[in-house]
Amino acid sequence: MINWTGFVPAALIISVSPGANQLLCMRNTVRYGAASALTGVAGRLAGLGLLIGLAVAGVGAALAASPVALDVIKWFGVSYLMLLGLWSLRSALRTQSPDAETQSENFTAGLRGLVFKEFSVAFTNPKALLLFAALLPQFIGGQQDGRAEATAILGVAYLGIELVVSFGYIGVASRLRALGISARRQRVIDVIAGLCLLVIAVLFAFSGND
């Protein structure tokens, strides 16, 4: 038996909490538009879906017993977050107009770049895997038989909640975009996003795996 009344509020709180993926989502919306940002969210859902699949398969429990494996994933994630932060700061230093810069970045990176960034940030977070491995079973009662299937159902439900919350973030960022983004404001947004990503990377680096 699945405890939906307990799971849905918990999943909403986790999903709504600002993080690197939500920050990327809002930045992508302001710079490229809602459609491009939503395409990037598809990469995030793919990354989270893969983590949920690993949790269902029991990989999360195995990783919890392997600090070395967790550290490898953790430092890859930290490095990538720092790279994204520096990339955003570099964008802020460019002197060209936001429209010209957007066209340039779309040409060089394209939608696949947005998808890859969100996927990588989501998938390289070992805490997310451990969270799924520890959280989802808490809302499943009854016998051991069928627990894997119930965990998978909860995982799919979480992805749905994550998508709905992403629509909310995209909606807020779209309102900001509709107000008009000057070159100066775009640089401020890029600086804030870059610094936030660097701070998240540092906090992630100094956090433990437990």
Side-chain angles (χ1 to χ4, degrees):
M1 180 179 295
I2 296 177
N3 179 12
W4 291 107
T5 57
F7 169 76
V8 173
L12 277 172
I13 292 173
I14 294 172
S15 182
V16 170
S17 300
N21 277 116
Q22 304 293 17
L23 180 62
L24 280 176
C25 179
M26 293 193 70
R27 182 187 184 277
N28 290 340
T29 302
V30 172
R31 179 171 288 278
Y32 304 114
S36 295
L38 188 57
T39 303
V41 170
R44 182 201 317 178
L45 296 180
L48 293 177
L50 187 53
L51 290 181
I52 291 171
L54 293 176
V56 171
V59 176
L63 279 179
S66 176
V68 174
L70 284 178
D71 281 338
V72 170
I73 301 174
K74 168 184 174 178
W75 287 107
F76 183 84
V78 168
S79 300
Y80 192 69
L81 283 175
M82 294 188 70
L83 179 63
L84 289 179
L86 294 174
W87 167 75
S88 186
L89 293 177
R90 175 176 172 269
S91 296
L93 295 176
R94 296 179 180 175
T95 57
Q96 61 192 86
S97 67
D99 290 340
E101 185 177 347
T102 297
Q103 293 175 2
S104 174
E105 289 191 10
N106 276 335
F107 177 78
T108 55
L111 294 179
R112 286 182 298 178
L114 301 182
V115 172
F116 179 77
K117 289 182 179 70
E118 288 243 26
F119 174 87
S120 300
V121 171
F123 185 68
T124 56
N125 184 357
K127 288 183 178 295
L129 175 58
L130 297 179
L131 175 65
F132 289 136
L135 176 68
L136 299 183
Q138 300 301 316
F139 301 98
I140 302 173
Q143 303 297 323
Q144 291 296 321
D145 293 342
R147 291 184 68 86
E149 292 80 357
T151 302
I153 292 173
L154 286 175
V156 172
Y158 179 84
L159 294 181
I161 292 174
E162 184 78 11
L163 178 60
V164 172
V165 171
S166 296
F167 274 117
Y169 274 92
I170 290 174
V172 172
S174 294
R175 293 293 297 273
L176 295 176
R177 178 182 171 89
L179 295 176
I181 304 296
S182 64
R184 183 167 179 264
R185 288 180 179 177
Q186 183 64 69
R187 285 194 291 270
V188 171
I189 292 174
D190 286 338
V191 169
I192 293 175
L195 292 178
C196 288
L197 287 169
L198 290 176
V199 169
I200 293 173
V202 171
L203 292 176
F204 193 15
F206 284 95
S207 66
N209 291 329
D210 43 40

